[in-house]
Structures are given as structure tokens and as C-alpha cells.
Amino acid sequence: GSKDKTVRIWDVQAGTMVKSLGSHEFHVKSLAYGDSLFVSTSLNVIRVWDARTHECVKQFKSKSGEEIAAVTLDDNHNLFASTGRNLLCCDLRAQAYVKSISSKSKILCMTSLDNKQLATGSIDNQLRVYDLKDYPQSEHYQTLTPPHFNFVLSLASCGGALFSGSKDFTIKRWEQRETGWEVTKSRNAAHGAAINALRALPLRSCVASGSAKGTIKILGADKLDVQCELNEHGGAINALEASKDCEIVYSASSDRTVKVWRLYERELGPSMRSERVASNTPSPKGRRRRRKAAAEGSRIPVSANEQ
């Protein structure tokens, strides 16, 4: 999703764009995906797309008219979206609203925890974990302490643990005990900048983090120790994703590029090295072609290496 009001679908192996989905009202703020559906948001509109046909099958609008800040899907086809201080809950199987939960603060990020709980991060520096066992009847939640010292910008879960990234430069690891969720590890100044994105790599027992400075780090899930650092982006990291086997990491940046990375285990030790296997960074030839086309008022095909 991008500021050009489109969602673009890419063939990673070929490095080419499969389809561009337009018709969004403004910038595409967030994306979420499941096995057969994916969701995009723009302003106060949520669009549900069929992953096979790439057709929009349903639209929802926040009743308050406020912008959708974050969205996530669980495996039970429940859609959760945050708008202002409200958490919207929709059943995609019934294609209907279920309820709206009032939050104490504006929610910036969220993630589903094994379809049993929903974790949210807010501008009041707090994390809250909602219990979905009795959803949608119950609204029980726990506020996690201690809070961050600034906005909570990103969340990820891995092996039963919850990870939070903040504008205070810190990444925290949380575990659920008998008394509730507790901090088990904290890494201060993890990047020296805001932690904009987190992505779990469960098959490697690692977590990928991306910062406002454009750096990406692969951290051990247990100790939050740095195993690999990538510094090839020229702008803030806005999103991170990974393949199911956790061998490929995808990064999207404010430098207008999407990069694809392959991670390797070293023969000795737990560290990893990476190799950039693809990028949509404009090539010199691609830039010349686009400038010429713009001067002539014509349009040319856009490939992954020329976007």
C-alpha cells in the first residue's frame, strides 16, 4: 500500500507487478491479509479483497468518520480496526459489524495472539491485551506495565511472546504469566530511532525490526541480541513482512523502494548474514525512460526495477 492511493501486488520471483488496485480515497494507510482475503484501509474506509481474483468484495466505513489507523485479521476471519479511540470488530464471514469497543487512547498498532487475544499499542505509551475467549460478549483487557516512554508504534508475536516497538527507541519482550503479562527483556536504543515496524520470524526464533532511520535488524527472540543489521534503505522503514519459511524478509521504505532479502545461517554461531535478492529501486535506465516519457506526456510499463 502506498501514498499513490494504490495497493500493488507483486510476483517476487519475477520481480514484476501483477496488478495495481486503485480507487482508494487517499493514502493507503494499512494492510492485513489472511489465506483467502486481504484488507486495505484509506481514510475511514476498509476494503476487503478476494486474494485470488483481486476483486473488492466488501467495504466498511467507520461510523465516526475518523481515519483507520491500524487493522489486523485473525484466522477466524475476524477483522479488527482502530479509528480514533474506538476498536471496530467485524465478522468477514457474515460481512457485518459485530461491535465497537471504546479505548482509553488512540490505537496506532495491533496484532492477534493465536486468535485468543488481541494486543494493541497506543499514543498514551501503553499496551493493552484484549481477551477474545468470550468475544464478542466480553471486553476484558489487561493494561501492560511498565509502559513505554513514548508512542507504541509496532507489535509482533513469536513463540507465545509479545514484542513492542516504540518511539522511545526501545523494543520490549513480554510473556504471559499466571498474574498476567510481564516484561522479560528490554533493549534500549535498539536502533537509535523510532521502531516503526516489527515482524516475527518464528522458524528462526528471531524478530525483524525496522527504524525511522532506515535500518533493519534481526534480533534473537529470547535475548533481543542483534544477529544481523541491514543498512541499504535511504528512508524510514514503514513495514516488514516475511515468507512462511522465514528465509525471505520484505521491507518497504519511505525511499520509495521495496526490498527483498534472503537470510542465511552462519556455519558457526547464531548470527546471520543477508543478501538482497531483489529491489524495486529505480535503475539509471529506468529513470531515463520515465523522464523521457513524462516529457513526452506518455505512459510506459512499470516493472519492479523501475518503480
Side-chain angles (χ1 to χ4, degrees), residues 153-157 163-166 170-172 191 195-200 207-210 219 239-241:
L153 302 177
S154 52
L155 294 169
S157 62
F163 299 85
S164 58
S166 170
T170 299
I171 297 174
K172 291 186 177 184
H191 281 268
I195 314 300
N196 287 352
L198 290 172
R199 183 63 170 90
V207 176
S209 61
L219 308 172
L240 292 170
E241 278 299 336

Side-chain angles (χ1 to χ4, degrees), residues 56-221:
C56 182
V57 296
K58 184 67 178 178
Q59 287 190 29
F60 298 95
K61 288 187 177 181
S62 66
K63 296 179 180 179
S64 66
E66 294 184 80
E67 182 182 39
I68 305 294
V71 65
T72 192
L73 283 168
D74 69 13
D75 293 337
N76 296 321
H77 294 281
N78 292 312
L79 167 67
F80 302 94
S82 66
T83 170
R85 294 190 176 188
N86 293 309
L87 180 62
L88 306 180
C89 310
C90 306
D91 185 340
L92 296 186
R93 289 169 296 191
Q95 295 191 357
Y97 277 115
V98 175
K99 69 185 306 181
S100 177
I101 300 173
S102 179
S103 174
K104 292 184 178 294
S105 182
K106 182 178 179 180
I107 297 171
L108 299 179
C109 55
M110 63 178 71
T111 189
S112 174
L113 304 173
D114 298 326
N115 303 315
K116 298 177 181 179
Q117 296 175 302
L118 179 73
T120 65
S122 306
I123 64 171
D124 64 357
N125 313 340
Q126 299 275 10
L127 282 81
R128 295 176 177 87
V129 177
Y130 291 81
D131 190 351
L132 302 180
K133 182 175 61 176
D134 298 321
Y135 167 83
Q137 288 76 24
S138 173
E139 297 182 11
H140 175 72
Y141 67 86
Q142 177 191 348
T143 301
L144 278 55
T145 57
H148 281 277
F149 290 101
N150 211 320
F151 299 171
V152 181
L153 302 177
S154 52
L155 294 169
S157 62
C158 180
L162 173 64
F163 299 85
S164 58
S166 170
K167 199 174 179 180
D168 65 7
F169 306 176
T170 299
I171 297 174
K172 291 186 177 184
R173 183 184 193 274
W174 308 78
E175 288 188 33
Q176 190 169 23
R177 311 293 194 191
E178 292 184 1
T179 56
W181 287 87
E182 299 178 0
V183 174
T184 57
K185 192 69 179 179
S186 180
R187 185 175 185 88
N188 299 324
H191 281 268
I195 314 300
N196 287 352
L198 290 172
R199 183 63 170 90
L201 305 173
L203 296 183
R204 292 177 174 269
S205 298
C206 292
V207 176
S209 61
S211 79
K213 281 187 175 182
T215 58
I216 302 169
K217 291 184 179 181
I218 309 298
L219 308 172

